[in-house]
């Protein structure tokens, strides 16, 4: 029998083992199969499919005892980046729960809509969705907040509802990809080992052309429209303050834990001071937000276990050997990372899970070909968001469709931003000069 490859083996010419990827294959078959059979890609909880895949991984490689395998996954889960990522998830949840309970979400939405120029209503939807999603760190929350507004604008302007909700979807994916408190950003940064502010700057200049062109397309498609708000949209600017402080704090390079915990405390103070939140409910608000991050935290831990065993058995080496055959230099490696993120997202229908799964492989690729960590983190986040914005069975698309009475296929033709984001990123890879990773 061919020997399993372990991470201790430093011979780069060693042949990896395709069979070591069986647990990942099992996950994809179970997760995708249940979705295809039932027509509902969320009937099978991702964590259940991952636990089954982990069980398969444990049954492989009889040359290692059960205790040895426990040691392998303990080392993988105990990695500094995995632990840090999970703690950041929980802190981001605490901030989200606190700022929502303090009225930050409602005030942010109403503030944006209050300055919406009636002549550019659909463009305004996109811009406001960008602002809200980058502030809230969640595309789903942005879609839920703005979908009813999109329906109202469609009714009053005569524009197709699909283009109005498409503008919201595009803006939601903009912030999901860039926000400092988005779980996708956290996962991309921690799996690649770079700073959030560095990833943001790298990422922002890649997607900015796509955002600008999207604005241009929406403007020329809807420039003859008009819309006036018939209801008051009360807001308090002070309730938006925590979002702004978190954004600028993260960009300034302040430790992410300090930023998130500080934002949580400020949110609670603002909420109590403006009577949006009773003092007795502050811990409940924080706890609710933390609880909302349990799923992705546990999934991240289980995926780390699976990846550790797959790597120990030679699965990662097998993938890297294939990529070496197909890749020529740094640009080829970047295309490989982009394709990997897009493919995994298409299979998992969850961009955060896709990054957690693809991250370790992307890290190996970036190290092998000297790709800057902030660049690999950006590509992971961008292309998983591209996939998530375009797959008709993704949570974002299904949510937008259900809130408007449309189908995902009605909305897809107006998803300009994800497509332009992919084009911009590939052009960035093709024409930007080489930027090697720091030692």
């Amino acid at each position: 029998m061919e020997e399993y490859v372990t991470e201790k083996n430093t011979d780069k010419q060693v042949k990896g083992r395709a069979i070591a990827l069986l647990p990942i294959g099992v996950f994809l078959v179970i997760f995708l199969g249940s979705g295809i059979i039932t027509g509902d890609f969320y009937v099978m909880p991702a964590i259940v499919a991952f636990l089954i895949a982990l069980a398969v991984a444990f049954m492989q490689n009889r040359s290692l005892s059960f205790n040895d395998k426990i040691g392998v996954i303990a080392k993988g889960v105990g990695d500094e980046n995995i632990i840090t990522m999970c703690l950041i998830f929980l802190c981001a949840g605490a901030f989200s729960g606190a700022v929502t309970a303090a009225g930050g979400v409602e005030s942010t939405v109403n503030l944006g809509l209050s300055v919406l120029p009636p002549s550019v209503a659909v463009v305004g939807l996109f811009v406001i969705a960008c602002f809200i999603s980058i502030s809230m760190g969640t595309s789903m929350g942005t879609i839920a907040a703005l979908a009813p507004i999109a329906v109202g604008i469609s009714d009053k302007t005569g524009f197709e509802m699909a283009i109005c909700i498409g503008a919201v979807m595009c803006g939601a994916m903009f912030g999901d990809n860039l926000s400092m408190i988005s779980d996708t950003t956290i996962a991309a940064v921690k799996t690649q080992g770079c700073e959030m502010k560095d990833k943001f700057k790298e990422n922002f200049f890649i997607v900015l052309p796509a955002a600008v062109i999207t604005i241009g397309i929406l403007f020329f498609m809807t420039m003859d429209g008009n819309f006036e708000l018939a209801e008051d949209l009360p807001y308090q600017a002070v309730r938006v303050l925590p979002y702004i402080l978190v954004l600028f704090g993260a960009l300034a390079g302040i430790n992410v834990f300090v930023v998130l915990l500080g934002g949580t405390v400020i949110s609670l103070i603002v909420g109590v001071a403006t009577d949006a939140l009773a003092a007795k409910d502050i811990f409940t608000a924080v706890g609710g937000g933390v609880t909302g991050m349990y799923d992705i935290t546990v999934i991240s831990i289980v995926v780390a276990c699976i990846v550790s065993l797959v790597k120990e058995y030679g699965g990662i080496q097998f993938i890297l050997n294939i990529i070496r055959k197909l890749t020529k230099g740094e640009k080829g490696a970047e295309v490989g990372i982009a394709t990997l993120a897009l493919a995994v997202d298409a299979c998992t229908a969850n961009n955060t899970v896709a990054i957690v799964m693809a991250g370790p492989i992307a890290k190996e690729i970036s190290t092998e070909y000297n790709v800057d960590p902030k660049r690999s983190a950006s590509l992971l986040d961008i292309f998983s968001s591209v996939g998530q914005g375009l797959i008709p069975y993704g949570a974002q698309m299904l949510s937008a469709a259900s809130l408007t009475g449309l189908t995902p296929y009605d909305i897809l033709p107006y998803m300009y931003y994800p497509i332009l984001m992919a084009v911009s990123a590939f052009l960035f890879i093709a024409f930007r000069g080489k930027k090697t990773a720091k030692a």
Side-chain angles (χ1 to χ4, degrees), residues 87-226:
L87 291 176
I88 293 175
F89 281 149
L90 299 179
C91 288
F95 171 71
S96 178
V99 76
T100 301
V105 174
E106 182 181 7
S107 280
T108 301
V109 172
N110 289 351
L111 173 61
L113 291 172
S114 295
V115 298
L116 176 67
S119 60
V120 289
V122 177
V123 173
L125 274 176
F126 171 71
V127 174
I128 292 169
C130 289
F131 174 72
I132 292 173
S133 59
I134 205 169
S135 300
M136 295 170 58
T138 165
S139 53
M140 292 294 290
T142 301
I143 293 167
L146 288 181
I149 307 298
V151 172
I153 289 177
S154 174
D155 290 341
K156 294 187 178 183
T157 60
F159 290 125
E160 290 184 44
M161 192 180 300
I163 192 172
C164 294
I165 193 64
V168 171
M169 278 278 292
C170 288
M173 298 316 300
F174 175 89
D176 193 289
N177 167 235
L178 280 175
S179 176
M180 298 291 185
I181 58 174
S182 169
D183 46 9
T184 60
T185 295
I186 295 168
V189 166
K190 298 318 296 181
T191 57
Q192 301 309 295
C194 63
E195 296 294 328
M196 283 194 179
K197 64 174 182 176
D198 295 331
K199 182 264 185 188
F200 177 88
K201 293 173 183 176
E202 182 86 1
N203 200 338
F204 179 77
F205 289 107
I206 297 174
V207 302
L208 180 60
V212 172
I213 295 173
T214 300
I215 289 174
I217 293 173
L218 293 175
F219 176 76
F220 284 109
M221 290 184 67
T222 62
M223 58 189 302
D224 296 327
N226 195 14

Side-chain angles (χ1 to χ4, degrees), residues 312-358:
E312 180 74 12
Y313 301 163
I316 303 297
Q317 185 68 47
F318 178 80
I319 294 174
L320 292 176
N321 288 343
I322 293 177
I323 291 173
R324 286 193 189 101
K325 293 178 181 178
L326 302 175
T327 297
K328 294 182 179 179
E330 182 182 345
K331 292 183 185 295
E334 291 176 3
V335 172
I337 291 171
T339 305
L340 176 67
L342 189 60
V344 177
D345 182 77
C347 293
T348 61
N350 185 306
N351 46 345
T352 306
V353 172
I355 292 171
V356 171
M357 289 184 68

Side-chain angles (χ1 to χ4, degrees), residues 220-240:
F220 284 109
M221 290 184 67
T222 62
M223 58 189 302
D224 296 327
N226 195 14
F227 172 68
E228 292 183 6
L229 291 168
E231 58 183 300
D232 292 331
L233 294 171
Y235 65 87
Q236 291 181 270
V238 68
R239 293 181 180 177
V240 185

Side-chain angles (χ1 to χ4, degrees), residues 63-99:
S63 65
L64 287 179
S65 69
F66 181 81
N67 287 338
D68 289 337
K69 293 172 183 176
I70 290 292
V72 170
I73 66 172
K75 183 178 179 181
V77 174
D79 181 87
E80 177 184 355
N81 288 325
I82 298 297
I83 295 298
T84 303
M85 178 174 66
C86 291
L87 291 176
I88 293 175
F89 281 149
L90 299 179
C91 288
F95 171 71
S96 178
V99 76

